Amino acid sequence: RAEMTAALGMLCGGTAAEQVVYGSASLSHLLDAGEFERRAKVYLVLFPDEQLPFFCKPEGEGEAAANARSIVDLRRRMEAQACSFLEANREVLDVLAEQLDRHGELSVEQLALHLELVRPRACFAEFDWPEGLPVYTPATSRGTTKVVSPAGS
């Protein structure tokens, strides 16, 4: 469940970043919308939630509408959690946004330089981060990084 939750959250990351940096999201989120919907359907079938009713084989317009609302509500929930995380890491986000504006894209190496500044535990009380999913955090010795899970750090 935690891995699927994280994957859905990551699909909302671009939209959340645009909301935090620019105050609103562009239409670029439509690129991830189909993948989010596909994964959300599986998630809602596997992990029933009273607040997000989902019918595996909807019978009638009412159940189909409930499914559509649940997918939208799940996306809103995930975007809100991603926004909270990004707000907590706003300084890093601003630097990355400026770099992207200047260069258009960043390599893995360029991104890695900024990962040690991310506060991985920020907002994780609300975000169901999978145990063992690695992220970079500052190491104890100068100039190196180590990989740890935010859930266990």
Side-chain angles (χ1 to χ4, degrees):
R1 177 183 184 142
E3 288 177 14
M4 290 183 79
T5 302
L8 289 169
M10 286 186 258
L11 285 168
C12 296
T15 300
E18 288 178 346
Q19 289 173 347
V20 169
V21 173
Y22 302 116
S24 64
S26 69
L27 295 179
S28 65
H29 75 279
L30 295 175
L31 298 173
D32 292 328
E35 182 64 16
F36 182 91
E37 183 175 341
R38 186 184 69 75
R39 289 182 186 212
K41 287 176 181 178
V42 173
Y43 181 88
L44 291 168
V45 167
L46 292 176
F47 309 109
D49 183 327
E50 289 179 13
Q51 296 176 356
L52 301 169
F54 194 83
F55 300 91
C56 194
K57 295 181 180 179
E59 296 179 12
E61 291 180 22
E63 289 182 359
N67 284 0
R69 277 191 308 275
S70 290
I71 291 170
V72 168
D73 289 347
L74 179 61
R75 182 166 186 102
R76 285 184 183 140
R77 180 188 294 180
M78 302 308 271
E79 286 175 0
Q81 291 172 357
C83 284
S84 294
F85 175 79
L86 292 170
E87 285 288 357
N89 288 284
R90 183 61 192 254
E91 291 177 21
V92 178
L93 180 62
D94 287 342
V95 169
L96 289 173
E98 184 269 323
Q99 297 267 327
L100 285 168
D101 281 344
R102 186 181 313 153
H103 302 290
E105 63 181 40
L106 299 175
S107 69
V108 171
E109 293 79 16
Q110 290 169 312
L111 283 172
L113 295 173
H114 302 284
L115 289 179
E116 23 179 279
L117 303 175
V118 172
R119 296 180 326 158
R121 291 189 62 96
C123 305
F124 281 115
E126 295 129 25
F127 191 76
D128 188 13
W129 195 266
E131 185 72 38
L133 185 65
V135 296
Y136 289 93
T137 59
T140 54
S141 61
R142 183 175 157 85
T144 62
T145 58
K146 62 181 177 178
V147 179
V148 298
S149 166
S153 58

